[in-house]
Amino acid sequence: MVKLEELATDYLELVRNVSEIPLYSEIVAEELSAIDNGHNVPSAEKIISDLKSWSEVLKLGSDNNVIDSSQVITDELAAQALTQFRSRFKKLKFQPKAGEILKNLNHQVAGLMPHIRSNTKAYQNTKCISHAEERVIATGKELKQLIDDGHYVLDRVLSMTQGNEDYQELKKKLDSRIQNILSMQS
């Protein structure tokens, strides 16, 4: 049970870290559109600053030498950095309501955490084991359903941003741990 609590906490943290990315991508798209349409023509320094911020909130990383360099920022460098950012940004294609799905997943898993914690404590008390087993199994089923429901969106967001290797490993561990819990039912 302690391991499930740790894994569920890691899962919740991962969901929290990416739940706002679809919303941020909409905001960045509007900012880029304003630049394209000439409504907002920022200075080269402002472009570089924005690109750094956008890359960070979208968890795109920075494979861009222009942004990370200590060179003097010119209009040409800013234009080059903007072009490189756009090519990475265009890969962010989220399904409709992805942000809403991730926010709901975040809230639902966060709401389940107190039950997981109390189950861990109850399961450690030998007087409560039989009652705790039922609660543990029910909570395990609920957590599994949440993970399964959010998997496609979370997997997609992570594969387009910071990568999803850690998520895949965490999901395997959670699936295994939950399967062990559900096997208590038989």
Side-chain angles (χ1 to χ4, degrees):
M1 289 312 309
V2 172
K3 187 66 175 173
L4 177 65
E5 183 179 339
E6 290 170 6
L7 292 170
T9 300
D10 291 347
Y11 180 80
L12 180 60
E13 184 63 28
L14 188 116
V15 172
R16 281 186 179 146
N17 284 335
V18 299
S19 65
E20 298 292 330
I21 289 176
L23 173 64
Y24 290 143
S25 70
E26 291 175 21
I27 294 168
V28 170
E30 289 175 12
E31 293 286 330
L32 289 172
S33 178
I35 292 171
D36 292 343
N37 296 330
H39 298 302
N40 178 17
V41 183
S43 68
E45 291 82 8
K46 175 79 169 118
I47 289 173
I48 296 297
S49 175
D50 286 348
L51 294 177
K52 286 179 181 179
S53 297
W54 296 341
S55 291
E56 186 178 316
V57 298
L58 295 172
K59 307 218 184 297
L60 291 175
S62 182
D63 62 358
N64 185 333
N65 292 334
V66 176
I67 291 177
D68 293 334
S69 73
S70 59
Q71 297 175 341
V72 175
I73 297 172
T74 65
D75 289 343
E76 291 170 357
L77 285 173
Q80 180 185 359
L82 190 57
T83 300
Q84 290 174 353
F85 176 82
R86 283 179 196 281
S87 70
R88 290 184 304 152
F89 182 74
K90 286 179 183 178
K91 295 175 185 172
L92 293 180
K93 300 279 189 235
F94 299 113
Q95 74 181 61
K97 299 188 179 190
E100 186 178 316
I101 291 168
L102 288 174
K103 278 186 178 180
N104 286 337
L105 181 61
N106 181 30
H107 291 298
Q108 290 173 328
V109 173
L112 195 57
M113 289 306 295
H115 298 290
I116 292 172
R117 287 186 195 99
S118 69
N119 289 346
T120 300
K121 290 175 186 166
Y123 199 72
Q124 291 171 348
N125 183 345
T126 57
K127 296 175 187 174
C128 300
I129 283 189
S130 63
H131 177 65
E133 264 184 19
E134 293 172 17
R135 289 185 5 214
V136 166
I137 291 168
T139 303
K141 285 180 181 178
E142 192 173 347
L143 181 59
K144 178 164 181 33
Q145 187 64 50
L146 291 173
I147 291 168
D148 291 347
D149 290 349
H151 173 70
Y152 176 76
V153 173
L154 189 57
D155 183 55
R156 180 100 171 112
V157 168
L158 287 167
S159 68
M160 290 188 289
T161 58
Q162 62 194 20
N164 65 0
E165 295 83 17
D166 292 341
Y167 166 66
Q168 294 298 335
E169 186 63 30
L170 176 60
K171 186 173 183 320
K172 283 180 192 175
K173 289 177 183 178
L174 270 166
D175 287 344
S176 174
R177 182 62 57 183
I178 291 170
Q179 192 57 44
N180 290 341
I181 288 170
L182 297 179
S183 69
M184 293 180 350
Q185 193 171 19
S186 32

